[in-house]
Amino acid sequence: MTLRTLFAASAAVGLLAAASAANAAIVVSSAVSNQLYTTNEGVILEDFDAIDSPLTTFTGNVVGPFTENGDGDFDVSNSAPPPYTGGGSITVCCQGGNTYEGDPTRYASVQGSGLSTFSVAPGYVLKSFNFYMGSPDSYNKVTFHLLNGGSQVFSGDAIWGGNGVLGNGDRTKGFRVYYDFNGAKVSSITFQSGSDAFEFDGLAGNVAAVPEPGTWAMMILGFGAAGAMLRSRRRLVAA
């Protein structure tokens, strides 16, 4: 193996990484209401109850489940369960004296000026992501941190793509937000809130192993060797 070949392989790896970083642009693809327990893409990786993938880690504030307060509903103040209508849902009080049906399970709640992080294990990346969020607020923020450096930030209604939903903290609004990574490889996601609070549940997506740089180089060298063998065979047949 010559130094020239090694240099070419290293350069190819660098170009592939640069091209991936340059072309990667994460966008919101859709938002589906009331989809708390299921996902249309990937699998649920963290639900703060029974599901906790060994390939991911969540650090941050988790609350619930609530206990009934004696009058038939569940009182909340600075952290409201994401809305959900279905089996096991709870009646939550109050916003302006109104009640709504909500998430009966544990969920993440990022308090004012707080931060939570969802990370994948070393050697792995997120290739897609979606999560269930409630009471959309304009002061919330989601940041995707890319494997090869850099990040992409979604603030306010950009988190859920707008979709005609105002970021005014309406507790009756809840939906699973799907993101199209367009080839981006994400190593971690941070959730921030400028006030109380940012509530979400059911973190989901696809996790994949990432080949080491040496593996990429060997793969490229293998392709080069295969091409050289084909060219050699063609010359022999022609002779």
Side-chain angles (χ1 to χ4, degrees), residues 99-147:
T99 61
Y100 72 96
E101 293 301 301
D103 181 0
T105 66
R106 288 164 58 85
Y107 60 92
S109 177
V110 183
Q111 300 298 302
S113 302
L115 176 73
S116 292
T117 303
F118 182 60
S119 307
V120 290
Y124 292 86
V125 291
L126 277 170
K127 297 185 68 176
S128 68
F129 179 73
N130 58 86
F131 76 122
Y132 191 80
M133 62 170 290
S135 53
D137 287 298
S138 60
Y139 48 70
N140 294 334
K141 180 188 297 184
V142 176
T143 304
F144 293 89
H145 302 277
L146 304 179
L147 177 66

Side-chain angles (χ1 to χ4, degrees), residues 82-83 131-137 140 156 159-160 173-177 179 198-201:
F131 76 122
Y132 191 80
M133 62 170 290
S135 53
D137 287 298
N140 294 334
I159 296 172
W160 58 92
K173 302 295 183 182
F175 31 76
R176 180 166 294 279
V177 186
Y179 296 89
F198 189 1
E199 301 97 352
F200 51 89
D201 202 347

Side-chain angles (χ1 to χ4, degrees), residues 13 123-125 147 185 208-217 219:
V13 172
Y124 292 86
V125 291
L147 177 66
K185 295 178 175 61
V210 180
E212 295 294 329
T215 303
W216 280 113
M219 288 172 61

Side-chain angles (χ1 to χ4, degrees), residues 7 11 51 58 63 70 76 86 118 127 134 142 159 162 170 172 192 208 228:
F7 177 77
I51 302 175
F58 180 85
V63 299
V76 299
F118 182 60
K127 297 185 68 176
V142 176
I159 296 172
D170 186 347
T172 65
Q192 295 173 268

Side-chain angles (χ1 to χ4, degrees), residues 32-49:
V32 182
S33 62
N34 210 46
Q35 201 178 57
L36 173 61
Y37 297 117
T38 60
T39 174
N40 295 339
E41 184 176 0
V43 297
I44 302 292
L45 299 168
E46 176 64 76
D47 71 350
F48 309 109
D49 292 284

